[in-house]
Amino acid sequence: MKVLSVVGARPNFMKVAPLVKELSRRGHQALLIHTGQHYDENMSKVFFQDLGMPRPDAYLGVGSGTHAEQTARVMTAFEKILEQERPDLTVVVGDVNSTLACALDCAKLRLPVAHVEAGLRSRDRAMPEEINRLVTDVLADLLFTHSREADENLKAEGIPPEKIHFVGNIMIDSLAANLEKARNSDILDRLSLSPGSFGVVTLHRPSNVDDPAVLEGLMGALRRVAARLPLVFSCHPRTAKRLAENKKRGISTGGDGALTILPPLGYLDFLHLMSQSRLVLTDSGGLQEETTWLGIPCVTIRKNTERPVTITEGTNRLAGTDPARVEELALQALEEGPARKEPPPLWDGKTAGRIVDVIEAWGAGRIP
Ligand code: UD1
Ligand code: UDP
């Protein structure tokens, strides 16, 4: 089969790498398209190296913009790829603008599209990703889910059950496959850190970083937590831009002393850093899942999560966005220490194989 997979933004690479590898291993024509939604070397190219991904067959170079601009640029460029390639199936992953744009192109051209990580719902439409998830799932012909709660969300929205395939968490395929390799990273030496003696931070949700007062409040909470446990903050470009703007306005937002702010890290460096940390503070979707698998306490700086399985079966705590509450939950997590639990069902590193099984059965007409 000719299967075209789409990557665009940082969290897409680790979800697509295992799939492309498995499709190629089984002799399928696996094409890889990069929309260019993320384009900095440390938000894109480094993941190709770290994850051993092939060079993309096409790079659409859409870059940044408003939601409409970015989505429209992906749609315009990807439509041409679809016309040219006429794939048997297109696979989109996650919930970024590239996911939605490519799914919409497929649907309009009546070409089949599969969604990996279907059925996640925060029930918060102020979050751009929620719109992307809802629309992509309505359009998808095959919906691959990572948890039973995602299956239930889809069924409740009227998605026919025969389209829904519970296959597990493909992000964990990349994590499990690279954890050993990541131990060769010298990131701890570079930062003069010893295992278990620090926490890791990421923040990039517009609701947390775009408003200067909200960002400053959260930076204050981070500084207070850092007084108890040194924190390393891998700073997303959106957030770096906002911190720089705040600084110009004279708002103290920078890292100092025990709060170290770094540019985004490559996958292997970041994986090693996170796996050796004592605590993670984040608003990332992927980190909530990775910490659950690693058994690292995670404090999620959001009012809701589309990944409740990381709370019920994992190590995640939902703090909301009140700085005092973030600090309180972080200190509580530190007191209680790690809570090693069994990973959720099918977060076992074998999800890509199960997805390709379904794709092959679907291609052979054995499932609708
Ligand atoms: C996007 C996704 C979000 C995902 C996140 C992962 C959407 C709507 N949002 O958010 O779901 O969690 O990626 O990281 O798709 N920028 C750079 N260099 C880059 C990329 C971005 O400087 O390589 C800066 C630009 O100023 C840009 C801003 O970051 O305007 C935001 O980028 P964008 O892709 O629009 O959204 P993210 O916040 O990255
Ligand atoms: N990640 C990384 N380097 C970093 C920060 C994150 O490699 O400096 C990885 C992280 O391990 C996870 C993915 O990027 O695999 C999560 O991406 P992000 O938080 O940008 O997006 P989200 O999951 O929130 O959509």
Side-chain angles (χ1 to χ4, degrees):
M1 293 171 74
K2 185 195 267 196
V3 181
L4 197 156
S5 303
V6 176
V7 289
R10 177 166 70 186
N12 298 158
F13 303 115
M14 43 301 276
K15 294 170 194 170
V16 165
L19 186 63
V20 167
K21 195 170 169 195
E22 183 63 12
L23 285 164
S24 303
R25 194 184 69 78
R26 296 202 201 177
H28 298 289
Q29 189 185 353
L31 295 181
L32 181 63
I33 310 300
H34 189 340
T35 66
Q37 177 173 342
H38 285 176
Y39 42 85
D40 288 349
E41 180 145 348
N42 58 9
M43 293 296 285
S44 172
K45 193 174 171 197
V46 67
F47 297 98
F48 283 80
Q49 290 154 2
D50 282 5
L51 293 159
M53 285 171 93
R55 277 170 66 88
D57 297 281
Y59 182 74
L60 309 182
V62 301
S64 306
T66 66
H67 285 274
E69 286 166 350
Q70 194 173 56
T71 307
R73 283 205 291 268
V74 177
M75 282 191 73
T76 307
F78 188 64
E79 184 183 52
K80 295 190 180 75
I81 303 281
L82 285 177
E83 295 281 22
Q84 199 181 305
E85 296 294 342
R86 308 294 303 182
D88 297 307
L89 182 68
T90 296
V91 181
V92 296
V93 299
D95 54 17
V96 302
N97 284 345
S98 299
T99 312
L100 164 72
C102 294
L104 202 45
D105 270 333
C106 290
K108 291 289 176 85
L109 291 176
R110 309 300 304 132
L111 290 170
V113 59
H115 184 206
V116 174
E117 206 182 84
L120 300 192
R121 297 289 181 268
S122 67
R123 312 202 192 287
D124 174 6
R125 292 197 188 184
M127 193 183 182
E129 294 79 3
E130 185 73 353
I131 311 288
N132 295 345
R133 294 180 196 119
L134 283 161
V135 179
T136 303
D137 285 342
V138 166
L139 301 175
D141 300 280
L142 291 170
L143 295 97
F144 294 110
T145 60
H146 81 7
S147 55
R148 287 293 185 198
E149 63 202 17
D151 292 9
E152 295 311 314
N153 289 339
L154 293 169
K155 285 182 206 157
E157 287 170 17
I159 304 284
E162 61 274 17
K163 286 186 172 184
I164 305 168
H165 303 275
F166 173 47
V167 290
N169 191 336
I170 199 158
M171 203 170 200
I172 301 302
D173 285 22
S174 279
L175 198 168
N178 287 289
L179 195 57
E180 262 321 298
K181 195 169 153 197
R183 291 192 205 286
N184 295 328
S185 158
D186 62 356
I187 185 76
L188 263 56
D189 292 340
R190 278 177 6 233
L191 298 172
S192 304
L193 292 169
S194 54
S197 68
F198 63 94
V200 170
V201 179
T202 77
L203 280 184
H204 69 274
R205 295 287 156 212
S207 54
N208 281 338
V209 307
D210 284 359
D211 180 325
V214 172
L215 180 58
E216 170 52 4
L218 291 175
M219 292 301 290
L222 295 179
R223 278 194 291 270
R224 290 192 296 279
V225 175
R228 283 281 301 277
L229 178 79
L231 296 178
V232 181
F233 185 168
S234 155
C235 195
H236 188 283
R238 172 190 286 276
T239 313
K241 210 166 124 185
R242 297 303 182 203
L243 286 174
E245 286 165 6
N246 281 7
K247 199 171 174 188
K248 270 194 214 150
R249 291 194 197 100
I251 305 173
S252 143
T253 46
D256 42 39
L259 176 62
T260 307
I261 300 187
L262 299 177
L265 296 170
Y267 185 68
L268 295 174
D269 279 345
F270 189 75
L271 186 52
H272 188 52
L273 188 72
M274 181 167 55
S275 72
Q276 299 303 308
S277 72
R278 178 91 169 71
L279 173 71
V280 169
L281 294 143
T282 191
D283 58 12
S284 158
L287 263 68
Q288 295 173 59
E289 298 179 350
E290 291 170 336
T291 48
T292 276
W293 196 85
L294 290 164
I296 309 262
C298 176
V299 173
T300 295
I301 306 178
R302 281 179 45 190
K303 290 187 178 133
N304 48 54
T305 178
E306 60 291 329
R307 293 161 160 95
V309 71
T310 60
I311 299 175
T312 52
E313 297 189 38
T315 56
N316 191 16
R317 294 155 207 248
L318 197 59
T321 55
D322 172 30
R325 181 72 181 146
V326 170
E327 184 187 353
E328 184 188 335
L329 277 197
L331 298 182
Q332 198 184 88
L334 270 183
E335 296 297 325
E336 287 171 19
R340 184 71 219 170
K341 295 185 185 172
E342 281 301 304
L346 303 192
W347 292 26
D348 60 358
K350 296 177 186 159
T351 292
R354 285 188 286 268
I355 291 178
V356 179
D357 288 345
V358 173
I359 290 177
E360 287 177 343
W362 170 84
R366 292 199 298 277
I367 56 170

